[in-house]
Amino acid sequence: MADDGTTRDTWDLLPAYALDAVDDLERRAVERLLEADPDARRALDEYREVVAAFAVDQEPPAQVRDAVLARVARTPQAPVPAPAAMPAARPRRRRRWAPVVAAAAAVVAVAVPTTVAVQQHRAAVELQQQADRVAQMLADPEARLVTAPIAGGGEATALVSDGDVLISAEGLPDPGEGQDWQLWTIADGAPESAGIMPAGSGGVTTAWVPGGAGRTVAVTLEPAGGSEQPTSDPVVAIET
Amino acid sequence: MLRQTDQVPPPTTTPVDAALVACADGDPTTFGPVYDALAPVAFGTSLGVLRDPDHAAEVTQEVMVEVWQTAARFDPARASARTWVATLARRRAVDRVRAEQSRRDRDQRDLDASVAGAPRDVVVEDVERRLEGAAVRRCLESLTPTQREAVVEAYYGGRTYREVAERLGAALPTVKSRIRDGLGRLRDCLGVARG
């Protein structure tokens, strides 16, 4: 397991994170570390204090004060955050992933579907049930987040919650005329079709794989409509 | 106020910290003094990154409303009010500079390449002037020139360390360690220690 190395790499990013000098993916990795590790949070607090020492106070224009106080007078405050993000209270086994709220937030940031794309031929009722289940998964504090690169560029992210998987692929190219991206779940080397990947929007494709947890979720290029068994090498495979 | 924190007691709680904690109770009339104490940090931080007073004023307005809205999230055990506001302001200012940067970079890539040396000198000169009065100024001298360059580029340029590496023509891991070691030295010099 490359877990230790990955954690150390992420620790190394803390100073750059304090300077807002990391890209979005790194930012998410650091935020997962912070969620899991109080020592990392303490180290970050120190770096942030260093960065704040660069600030030189300067009086803003007077009209800013009026504008802010006017908005404050009619803007309600956000409630106190629930202490759900206290990692010490969670079982140790969970701490390896420990994505909690960050996982849900990250998937929302990765996927950004206004409506989660699920297979389009399904009945409306079923769609609603799926949407409810997906919303539940996104809110699950015990959900795990796993990512894997897509061959040829891009990244796939799997949110694993209570037996189900929500997979989101960023940068998956158009399958081309007469072809589809097909999803598979693989256990003990035996692939089982999980349907066609729905058409994505904004370069992001999201699909729900019920019962996919604990299996490898893979995507292959297949003739339109899909195949019984994969006929090409997977462009991405995620062990959930 | 009942809030779960680590067992470490708050290092030093200033009156500003206390005022910020108090205004989380939802009374907008308590926010005036908090604004007066903290808006200059927000404006100074935004101006450092954006260098445009109008943009910095807009960011300051957004940040100070955010300070009000999320006052309950401020935890004096983790940071001073000043550091908290500087962090929020920097994040917003950098987001804005990035959005503009990507557009500018696309339009002017060739031009930038041909005058690559010039803007950097301007930045360094500008920084010297800006840092008058910053707590960190004395400590920056304890950095090696390359550490200082990397940290200053990341701080004032609002750049990712990848962009800093590209700009300085240095390897990625090198720039990452310069930033890490640079901030580490600054931390020691400033005597920052928590927990």
Side-chain angles (χ1 to χ4, degrees):
Chain A
M1 219 52 216
D3 220 40
D4 287 342
T6 311
T7 306
R8 202 168 44 243
D9 286 351
T10 310
W11 261 89
D12 270 357
L13 285 172
L14 282 174
Y17 177 86
L19 277 165
D20 292 292
V22 292
D23 65 31
D24 289 345
L25 278 177
E26 291 166 336
R27 189 182 277 194
R28 285 201 289 274
V30 172
E31 280 163 6
R32 281 198 295 279
L33 171 69
L34 293 170
E35 198 66 53
D37 189 343
D39 289 340
R41 284 201 295 276
R42 239 178 322 264
L44 175 68
D45 289 344
E46 293 183 357
Y47 288 127
R48 279 195 167 147
E49 207 170 321
V50 171
V51 172
F54 278 83
V56 182
D57 282 21
Q58 196 152 341
E59 213 51 59
Q63 69 269 23
V64 176
R65 186 180 200 274
D66 299 338
V68 169
L69 294 186
R71 274 181 61 190
V72 160
R74 57 186 153 80
T75 308
Q77 285 179 312
V80 183
M86 288 293 165
R90 292 209 312 276
R92 188 156 192 89
R93 189 172 59 83
R94 299 280 180 193
R95 296 187 60 174
R96 226 181 81 213
W97 298 102
V100 196
V101 182
V107 165
V108 171
V110 171
V112 207
T114 43
T115 57
V116 173
V118 285
Q119 308 216 23
Q120 291 167 355
H121 61 272
R122 307 220 185 196
V125 174
E126 202 180 336
L127 270 175
Q128 186 54 47
Q129 281 169 352
Q130 287 186 12
D132 290 349
R133 174 69 191 117
V134 165
Q136 224 176 44
M137 290 175 73
L138 288 173
D140 177 7
E142 303 275 304
R144 291 183 290 120
L145 194 64
V146 195
T147 62
I150 297 173
E155 189 179 55
T157 307
L159 179 82
V160 187
S161 156
D162 203 16
D164 298 340
V165 174
L166 184 67
I167 185 166
S168 147
E170 191 176 12
L172 197 61
D174 189 282
E177 194 64 36
Q179 298 184 105
D180 276 323
W181 293 112
Q182 188 169 0
L183 270 168
W184 306 89
T185 61
I186 304 162
D188 301 326
E192 200 177 301
S193 175
I196 304 296
M197 285 287 270
S201 65
V204 180
T205 310
T206 303
W208 187 49
V209 188
R215 297 164 156 247
T216 300
V217 177
V219 177
T220 62
L221 190 61
E222 300 296 335
S227 310
E228 288 291 314
Q229 287 290 307
T231 62
S232 65
D233 289 335
V235 290
V236 62
I238 301 188
E239 284 177 40
T240 67
Chain B
M1 171 150 195
L2 281 176
R3 177 124 37 97
Q4 196 179 343
T5 60
D6 290 341
Q7 66 277 28
V8 185
T12 45
T13 304
T14 67
V16 183
D17 296 347
L20 179 52
V21 170
C23 88
D25 284 344
D27 178 1
T29 61
T30 60
F31 194 69
V34 174
Y35 176 92
D36 292 335
L38 295 171
V41 182
F43 189 63
T45 300
S46 314
L47 198 56
V49 177
L50 295 164
R51 292 188 207 97
D52 175 313
D54 292 337
H55 286 181
E58 283 171 30
V59 167
T60 301
Q61 184 173 327
E62 290 164 11
V63 169
M64 293 314 292
V65 173
E66 186 184 358
V67 166
W68 157 255
Q69 282 182 294
T70 61
R73 266 177 231 159
F74 168 64
D75 181 352
R78 287 195 61 189
S80 66
R82 189 187 156 78
T83 295
W84 191 61
V85 170
T87 303
L88 295 178
R90 186 174 160 76
R91 171 67 66 91
R92 275 186 188 260
V94 166
D95 281 351
R96 188 178 277 233
V97 97
R98 293 244 169 98
E100 282 168 18
Q101 194 83 44
S102 58
R103 200 174 52 232
R104 213 165 36 231
D105 284 357
R106 211 169 41 235
D107 296 346
Q108 295 205 342
R109 193 164 291 142
D110 296 341
L111 191 63
D112 283 353
S114 64
V115 293
R120 207 201 295 176
D121 296 341
V122 175
V123 170
V124 171
E125 213 171 270
D126 203 30
V127 165
E128 294 293 318
R129 201 163 39 76
R130 282 188 186 290
L131 278 168
E132 296 281 342
V136 80
R137 184 168 183 247
R138 176 183 54 86
C139 289
L140 270 176
E141 283 160 22
S142 69
L143 269 53
T144 68
T146 53
Q147 286 170 350
R148 191 162 53 230
E149 185 179 41
V151 170
V152 161
E153 278 286 331
Y155 185 86
Y156 288 100
R159 295 189 168 82
T160 65
Y161 71 91
R162 266 195 191 80
E163 292 165 334
V164 172
E166 216 167 277
R167 202 173 154 82
L168 301 181
L172 212 52
T174 311
V175 168
K176 197 155 71 165
S177 2
R178 282 178 192 166
I179 288 177
R180 187 194 56 211
D181 298 344
L183 280 202
R185 278 201 193 186
L186 291 176
R187 179 191 57 201
D188 297 342
C189 174
L190 289 163
V192 173
R194 290 185 171 272

